[in-house]
Amino acid sequence: EAGRIADDEGLSVYVVGGFVRDIILGVENLDIDIVVEGDALRFSEKLADYYCAHLTKHDRFGTAVVVLEDDFKIDVVTARKEYYEYPASLPVIEGGTIKDDLFRRDFTINSMAIKLNKSGFGNIVDFYGGRRDLQMGLIRILYNLSFVEDPTRVFRAIRFEQRYDFRMEEKTEEFAIKAIESGILGKVSHERINFELFSMLKESNIPAILERMEQLHILKKVYPQIMLTNDLKKVLRNAEEDFAYFSEKLNHPESPDRTLLYLLILHSNMDHENAAKSSENMRLTKEYKEEILKLIEVRDRVLSNLSGNVDISYYDVYNELKGLSIEILLVLCMISGEKKVINRIILYINNLKNIKTYISGKDLRDLGVKPGPEYKLLLEEVLAAKLNGSLQTYKDELEFLKR
Ligand code: CTP
């Protein structure tokens, strides 16, 4: 239909970028980017009308988003020519042809288009050798200044390499290394770097991406507090398998927040000061920051108190772990690696965490206890006895109190 609307309007219209790349690779991709040779706003209005879809227009940029369903949206932009006034600046934009538009893109594999007009419908437009590079598994820039103009492309190159098991073409890698060594990443705003960090954390092969970032000396530059030691690498490499194992073992209603899990792992070997610095540098949300600092605060104590050499009661296990999020508990299992610790944490999540006393403040009042600090103490004692297994029923608890 987009093609028919384009024909009616006398415009040439193309699907471009990642969607085309993934169609050729046979990978699912729900983000459709459309480029219009001409007025993108007019075209997007007709398209939204046709589908009775919601339209968000950015008049200033001549771009629009047509939202068909929650996770299905189409970005529509005018074909443009772009140039940069100085390295790492935002580009100056002018109208252009599809060829111009594809040339300003990051890599050849992302520089292909598929025509949507009736004449030539479905034709792949490939000026820069995208199909050849897809076949050869190569990430290749289109022009030498690509990384200088947009240094975030270094992160993108690594992400695509590891996602598709491709590698950077030799010259491209040289340009990437030169750009990194020139210190240009320091000129990119935190927001843009962090956008790349969170994009990376959505990928399936996070450890490989991090190791590649380390190899290219990026990690030290943008996240100086991260210490990719051999121990941490091991935790990262086992992470996905561990998550799967624990999700099977645990009776936990919600699935853990995967982004938070990886952020916790990345900070798990830092001291408080570096963890605070790093989460500040990453501009993490208050909730994420608090989780990270909590992990650092309890880490050493929990790991030593729950270890096999220590003889402790269920109530002690409960007290060590109470209030900790499922993500922190999982990461404690992963960094410990000790069977006894893991079993105790699993026992806590599956059983101890959910144990509550039947008796309440009201029962204490009925027994003639005066309200005050003693209330809490007594309830705590009942909980301790219950966790340790000596109380089953409401009656048991009342008997215990009377004593
Ligand atoms: N693009 C670019 N330079 C960037 C970011 C994006 O040239 N720094 C271009 C690429 O052509 C890319 C398209 O814009 O294909 C859309 O960008 P984006 O949605 O970020 O990437 P995708 O290629 O769709 O990748 P992903 O599968 O990760 O969403």
Side-chain angles (χ1 to χ4, degrees):
E1 273 323 305
R4 194 187 51 74
I5 296 169
D7 285 342
D8 288 349
E9 297 295 309
L11 299 165
S12 292
V13 174
Y14 305 83
V15 191
V16 299
F19 186 81
V20 178
R21 174 198 70 220
D22 286 340
I23 275 197
I24 298 175
L25 288 173
V27 175
E28 183 179 34
N29 187 328
L30 293 177
D31 291 331
I32 299 192
D33 292 301
I34 286 186
V35 170
V36 180
E37 278 182 324
D39 189 346
L41 290 179
R42 189 157 53 94
F43 174 78
S44 62
E45 281 162 13
K46 301 273 166 181
L47 193 66
D49 272 354
Y50 181 82
Y51 287 110
C52 299
H54 181 76
L55 177 69
T56 315
K57 287 192 290 182
H58 305 281
D59 289 300
R60 208 157 62 83
F61 300 106
T63 66
V65 186
V66 180
V67 184
L68 293 166
E69 274 164 51
D70 257 2
D71 57 352
F72 187 57
K73 58 180 186 56
I74 303 179
D75 279 280
V76 185
V77 304
T78 299
R80 62 205 197 191
K81 213 171 166 158
E82 233 171 47
Y83 57 92
Y84 295 76
E85 293 195 309
Y86 54 92
S89 71
L90 290 171
V92 180
I93 298 162
E94 284 171 5
T97 62
I98 184 73
K99 191 170 178 183
D100 295 326
D101 192 278
L102 295 174
F103 184 68
R104 70 186 172 80
R105 289 171 185 270
D106 51 2
F107 310 115
T108 55
I109 60 164
N110 291 337
S111 75
M112 290 177 283
I114 295 177
K115 196 161 184 199
L116 294 178
N117 295 74
K118 197 162 169 220
S119 96
F121 180 85
N123 285 355
I124 295 186
V125 178
D126 180 14
F127 292 109
Y128 308 110
R131 262 213 280 202
R132 170 205 61 205
D133 287 340
L134 267 188
Q135 228 153 44
M136 303 200 332
L138 289 179
I139 311 292
R140 187 197 307 267
I141 46 175
L142 282 90
Y143 52 96
N144 296 352
L145 282 177
S146 190
F147 289 124
V148 177
E149 288 181 351
D150 180 355
T152 66
R153 287 176 174 168
V154 173
F155 297 96
R156 293 175 60 85
I158 294 174
R159 232 171 352 105
F160 292 127
E161 258 189 353
Q162 305 309 321
R163 184 194 298 171
Y164 300 117
D165 201 12
F166 283 11
R167 59 197 164 76
M168 283 189 229
E169 172 274 330
E170 202 177 317
K171 284 263 158 37
T172 295
E173 184 165 332
E174 280 170 24
F175 281 116
I177 291 171
K178 256 194 231 151
I180 295 160
E181 280 171 1
S182 77
I184 201 168
L185 288 171
K187 293 202 174 72
V188 182
S189 70
H190 282 285
E191 285 65 31
R192 294 182 72 202
I193 299 261
N194 291 331
F195 179 82
E196 296 302 325
L197 169 73
F198 282 90
S199 303
M200 171 192 91
L201 292 176
K202 290 196 194 94
E203 293 286 332
S204 60
N205 202 349
I206 298 172
I209 297 177
L210 284 164
E211 287 180 33
R212 185 77 164 121
M213 280 173 69
E214 184 188 43
Q215 187 197 16
L216 292 171
H217 307 292
I218 301 178
L219 211 52
K220 250 199 337 272
K221 290 208 156 86
V222 289
Y223 299 117
Q225 289 85 20
I226 292 181
M227 293 178 288
L228 217 51
T229 57
N230 286 336
D231 283 344
L232 192 69
K233 282 183 194 165
K234 214 157 96 198
V235 173
L236 282 163
R237 285 193 200 123
N238 292 331
E240 290 298 326
E241 214 175 298
D242 288 348
F243 297 159
Y245 171 80
F246 288 122
S247 350
E248 205 166 285
K249 278 234 159 207
L250 297 179
N251 319 323
H252 194 267
E254 300 132 54
S255 49
D257 173 344
R258 185 170 173 269
T259 301
L260 176 57
L261 281 169
Y262 275 102
L263 286 170
L264 287 169
I265 296 174
L266 286 176
H267 290 81
S268 65
N269 60 355
M270 293 183 199
D271 60 16
H272 179 96
E273 190 188 338
N274 278 324
K277 258 195 214 160
S278 169
S279 50
E280 188 56 43
N281 174 34
M282 290 181 183
R283 304 291 194 270
L284 299 181
T285 60
K286 191 163 148 276
E287 288 74 23
Y288 278 180
K289 264 185 217 166
E290 283 171 0
E291 285 290 308
I292 288 170
L293 294 180
K294 186 82 196 170
L295 171 67
I296 309 301
E297 179 194 318
V298 304
R299 177 193 55 204
D300 297 344
R301 190 199 74 215
V302 169
L303 294 186
S304 82
N305 287 355
L306 293 190
S307 101
N309 309 326
V310 189
D311 204 13
I312 54 172
S313 69
Y314 288 167
Y315 179 61
D316 296 329
V317 173
Y318 175 88
N319 266 334
E320 284 297 333
L321 300 176
K322 77 175 171 208
L324 298 180
S325 66
I326 186 75
E327 288 85 0
I328 291 186
L329 292 168
L330 288 186
V331 171
L332 285 169
C333 286
M334 294 169 61
I335 59 179
S336 150
E338 188 191 322
K339 228 185 166 99
K340 192 83 191 179
V341 175
I342 295 173
N343 287 340
R344 282 172 166 161
I345 293 178
I346 291 180
L347 174 80
Y348 169 78
I349 298 173
N350 284 345
N351 298 304
L352 306 181
K353 186 159 77 73
N354 307 313
I355 293 179
K356 294 199 175 57
T357 57
Y358 294 116
I359 54 131
S360 64
K362 184 176 171 299
D363 298 297
L364 292 177
R365 226 178 313 138
D366 292 349
L367 285 170
V369 184
K370 287 209 179 63
E374 211 189 339
Y375 255 55
K376 220 180 144 206
L377 237 62
L378 280 170
L379 286 173
E380 199 62 29
E381 264 180 54
V382 178
L383 180 65
K386 186 159 189 178
L387 284 166
N388 287 335
S390 56
L391 305 175
Q392 303 296 330
T393 63
Y394 177 59
K395 226 172 118 204
D396 293 344
E397 291 182 17
L398 277 181
E399 289 301 316
F400 179 82
L401 267 179
K402 283 181 189 155
R403 269 193 290 125

